[in-house]
Amino acid sequence: MCTYARRNTRFFIMNAKHILLVITLLFSAVASVAQVKITGKVVDEKGEPIEFASVKIAGTAIGVNTDTKGHYEISAPTRDTVMVVFSCLGYSTVRRQLLKPTGTVSINPKLYSSSVELQGVQVTEFRKQTNTLQSVDIESMKMTPSASGNGVEAIIATQAGVSSKNEMSSQYMVRGGSYDENSVYINGIEVHRPQLVTSGQQEGLSVINPDMVRSVSFSTGGFNAEYSDKMSSVLDITYKEPEAFEGAISASMQGGSLALGTSSKKFSMLHGVRYKRNSALLGSTDTKGEYDPQYFDYQTHIVLKPTDKFKVSFLGNVALNDYKFIPKNRETSFGTSTDAKSFLVYFDGQEHDKFQTFFGALSLNYKPNKGNDFSLIASAYQTNELVAYDIHGEYWLDQAGGSSEGNRGELGVGKYHEHARNRLRINVWNIGFKGNTSISHNNFSYGFNYRRDDIYERSREWQWRDSAGYSLPHYPEEVNVIYSMASKNDIRTSRFAGFLQDTYKLYMGNGILSVNAGVRVSYWDFNKETLFSPRFSVGYVPARNTRLTLRLAGGIYYQAPFYKEYRIQKVDSVGNSYIALNRDIKSQRSTQIILGGDYTFRAMDRPFKFTTELYYKKIDNLNSYEVDNLKVVYAGNNDGKGYIAGIDMKLFGQFVEGTDSWISFSLMKTSETQKGVKVPMPTDQRYSLAIFFTDYFPKIPRLKFSLKGVLSAGLPTSAPNCTRSEGYFRQPAYKRVDVGLSYALVDREHRPSSGFLSKFKSIWLGVDVFNLLDISNVSSYYWITDIHNYQWAVPNYLTRRQISARLSLTF
């Protein structure tokens, strides 16, 4: 019995040893499987990092997401073949195959967005936006019909909350703000616009050259503390750094452009030249005459990288805009079918305006390591502006149709003479420092800036009116002008500004949280004013529903006055008007709160994104103003307060498979207390609908169609030298549709492998129809005053239907 027990015990012990040996061998085999570490950075076609991109090992459950700078790190068992799959919402999927990988392997894939990919690529969703700065698709810009030729601003004008009332201009209003409340940055440097421009035909070319643009970001409010003291929006442009020799040529009936770039290992340069002459477009307005506009623009972007840590870049711009006009006659019909009127004018005289802009910026960038980079920036800007006209006219205002009383005939007859000699020279010098430091999940940005303004103005303008043989205002023993203004000012001021902000991103179990908080401090020695501008934004992507992105932003924003905002009109002892500078002016203050979000979904097996934002702005120290075409006339003092509230909605997606389109709709209400009376602000656009639609013909895939449509409410306006508190009316709604057809002789899918055409990346032939429906939109009014001081508002109409052909090539 004992012997049997001892034998069984030895048997179990020996089996246990064998089992342990087998288990040990199994664990050793598993542990001995080699691991490969795969690291790298995921970027888009512009070289920008893609955050939240998915990196997976095919056939396994192993996967990670890229961080906020596009970096990733993943480990997997090595095999004969390891397939790594890179994907992101809104980008094509990229696969990389590794053969018997060992140790550490680096893969830095480039993902292309749906708008520039080959046919057959399926896009599932869109890139997440966790802050208030949205990326704008620049590929859409290339096929967008634009009467002004300014492609970037034409796309911006179709975004939710943005309004443009003049197709010849690059200027726009955002969420109830004026044209002056929008800041524009190129390569991190703020750029300026001419100050004396009052109409689209004077403006010429935009400061942004579309052929040189690499990326566009835009914010309609709630932007970070790094951006300057403007209340409404930020347009942040980054120019290209060519990787090899490249070029672009475009020509149309309005002008042409040429961009050339080249690159070596440590040096790259990009040059752009544009010329515009849109006399045919201007000839479609009611005022006939000899239009001779000539607009020229040259820009350069030069980058030198002596080492991996140092970069020196230069941005330069020369813009010469020359506008000549000899008017002959004008005939305008307006009113209603039962109360139609006709306004006929014969002119004598001419207008000659010059706007010359020179800009240069030098940037020194030092990046000692992955977590730090520092920049020293110096820039200089000069604008020389001259507006000169002497125009005499004789007019007849007639009742063109039967009124309710059946009367017909002459309503007014008279003469007028308008004179101006306005000269303005502005020099702006900037020197500043910017830095970024990353510590764990925090990215700190900081900087300071010194700016010097040197302004010289000599202006003199007056208007003489005669009605029925009497000069206005009528005094029996005197001849008077109805309006006069003189300005003689020289001023030199200094501005100091600094900012500090932190961007914190945290990957939590229940979602991804992104927080940006910062403060901007500035001082202006002209009025001894110090401003504190705290700002924040929060973005959240819940893990339970990654199709949803929520955003909250706000802060206190200021509109630091530039020259024309603190000019105030006064009257001397003999009754002559002159311009003085208000040293007691304060910056307008806007306290903002913005709540919004995105929701992505699929319909018709195509991706869509619906965006909604609610906003409220409380405005104090309001510097009231009136808008006349593109001219903003300020009161020059802080005489009011008000608010702006509204909702913006945008549906973006592939309404047609393979092409991006969008619809935006906005509702807004504004209120301003002016002289104790509550009135709408001059930018009170109660509703706006914008459509950008692209399509292609299935049987002719090389032929593409694009449509840009706008319908927006009319703005409040008042008579000259009057304010809205004394009375106002609304202009008619702005309605316009532009369409374009483009045919690809050469593109990504249709590029010959040999011959002359193989040297080109793309060749497009196009035809654009501006104002397809031939609608007469009103830009402003010409006011007729009779001897009884009764005023008639004669509309100044914008351009009518025009057809233009274009050719564009890239190589």
Side-chain angles (χ1 to χ4, degrees), residues 39-40 78 160 200 231 280 284 306 459 516 536 539 563 568 588 676 722 735 737:
T39 65
T78 186
M231 295 196 301
S284 68
S459 297
N516 178 279
F536 77 93
Y563 181 61
I568 187 169
Q588 299 181 79
C722 296
K735 296 163 283 191
V737 175

Side-chain angles (χ1 to χ4, degrees), residues 6 12 99 151 175 186 210 237 279 303 319 354 369 399 450 474 497 540 565 635 691 751:
R6 283 195 298 270
F12 283 117
L99 300 177
R175 289 181 174 173
I186 299 179
I237 305 292
S279 53
V303 177
K354 292 183 178 181
N369 50 54
Q399 189 79 39
Y450 168 75
H474 176 60
Y540 179 65
E565 296 172 62
I691 299 174
R751 184 180 179 184

Side-chain angles (χ1 to χ4, degrees), residues 16 32 63 90 150 200 229 272 280 297 302 307 470 624 639 642 662 666 684 788:
S32 65
N150 301 316
D229 291 313
D297 176 89
I302 301 173
T307 69
Y470 295 92
S624 62
D639 58 351
W662 60 84
S666 301
D684 184 57
H788 303 293

Side-chain angles (χ1 to χ4, degrees), residues 491 493-495 522-531 559-561 566 582-588 638:
I491 182 173
T493 68
S494 295
R495 303 174 189 256
S522 58
Y523 173 79
W524 188 25
D525 67 355
F526 178 77
N527 61 354
K528 314 299 182 186
E529 182 182 40
T530 301
L531 304 176
Q559 179 73 16
Y566 54 88
N582 182 9
R583 290 189 174 273
D584 295 324
I585 191 73
K586 299 296 181 184
S587 298
Q588 299 181 79
N638 306 106

Side-chain angles (χ1 to χ4, degrees), residues 584-602:
D584 295 324
I585 191 73
K586 299 296 181 184
S587 298
Q588 299 181 79
R589 182 174 66 238
S590 174
T591 305
Q592 304 182 12
I593 188 72
I594 302 165
L595 176 63
D598 303 328
Y599 183 73
T600 61
F601 61 95
R602 296 189 66 83

Side-chain angles (χ1 to χ4, degrees), residues 267-474:
F267 178 78
S268 69
M269 60 180 176
L270 180 64
H271 305 277
V273 177
R274 293 179 292 166
Y275 177 77
K276 178 180 172 183
R277 182 182 171 87
N278 60 345
S279 53
L281 186 66
L282 296 174
S284 68
T285 61
D286 285 348
T287 303
K288 306 303 179 182
E290 299 178 16
Y291 288 94
D292 185 19
Q294 299 187 60
Y295 314 115
F296 172 83
D297 176 89
Y298 167 74
Q299 296 189 34
T300 182
H301 182 215
I302 301 173
V303 177
L304 174 66
K305 299 178 180 178
T307 69
D308 293 337
K309 296 183 178 181
F310 284 96
K311 183 172 78 170
V312 182
S313 60
F314 174 77
L315 179 66
N317 174 227
V318 176
L320 306 175
N321 295 333
D322 192 293
Y323 174 73
K324 297 178 183 177
F325 176 46
I326 302 176
K328 297 298 183 182
N329 62 77
R330 166 183 174 173
E331 186 170 2
T332 302
S333 299
F334 63 101
T336 64
S337 59
T338 58
D339 188 21
K341 296 178 177 62
S342 175
F343 180 62
L344 177 64
V345 187
Y346 291 99
F347 297 104
D348 183 27
Q350 65 177 344
E351 178 178 357
H352 188 187
D353 306 329
K354 292 183 178 181
F355 301 92
Q356 300 177 343
T357 300
F358 306 92
F359 174 75
L362 181 67
S363 301
L364 307 177
N365 180 264
Y366 174 59
K367 190 176 179 65
N369 50 54
K370 181 179 176 181
N372 293 277
D373 68 83
F374 310 102
S375 298
L376 183 65
I377 304 171
S379 66
Y381 166 85
Q382 182 184 83
T383 177
N384 293 312
E385 306 177 29
L386 169 66
V387 174
Y389 54 81
D390 266 298
I391 298 178
H392 179 268
E394 297 187 12
Y395 67 85
W396 289 264
L397 180 63
D398 297 325
Q399 189 79 39
S403 66
S404 57
E405 295 81 15
N407 296 327
R408 294 174 58 88
E410 188 176 275
L411 297 175
V413 60
K415 303 177 182 180
Y416 69 87
H417 191 159
E418 297 181 344
H419 167 92
R421 293 293 185 274
N422 299 334
R423 294 176 174 84
L424 179 66
R425 184 183 67 241
I426 299 177
N427 294 308
V428 178
W429 293 274
N430 274 283
I431 185 167
F433 168 82
K434 290 183 179 180
N436 292 280
T437 299
S438 296
I439 302 174
S440 185
H441 294 284
N442 300 79
N443 182 27
F444 296 96
S445 299
Y446 40 87
F448 61 84
N449 180 77
Y450 168 75
R451 174 175 140 184
R452 179 75 173 178
D453 298 344
D454 186 352
I455 302 172
Y456 166 93
E457 183 196 21
R458 298 292 185 271
S459 297
R460 176 69 176 172
E461 58 185 43
W462 50 263
Q463 297 178 10
W464 171 78
R465 298 282 177 88
D466 176 280
S467 179
Y470 295 92
S471 62
L472 301 176
H474 176 60

Side-chain angles (χ1 to χ4, degrees), residues 1-16:
M1 192 74 177
C2 292
T3 303
Y4 176 78
R6 283 195 298 270
R7 289 177 179 174
N8 279 303
T9 301
R10 287 197 299 269
F11 174 80
F12 283 117
I13 292 174
M14 291 178 64
N15 280 307

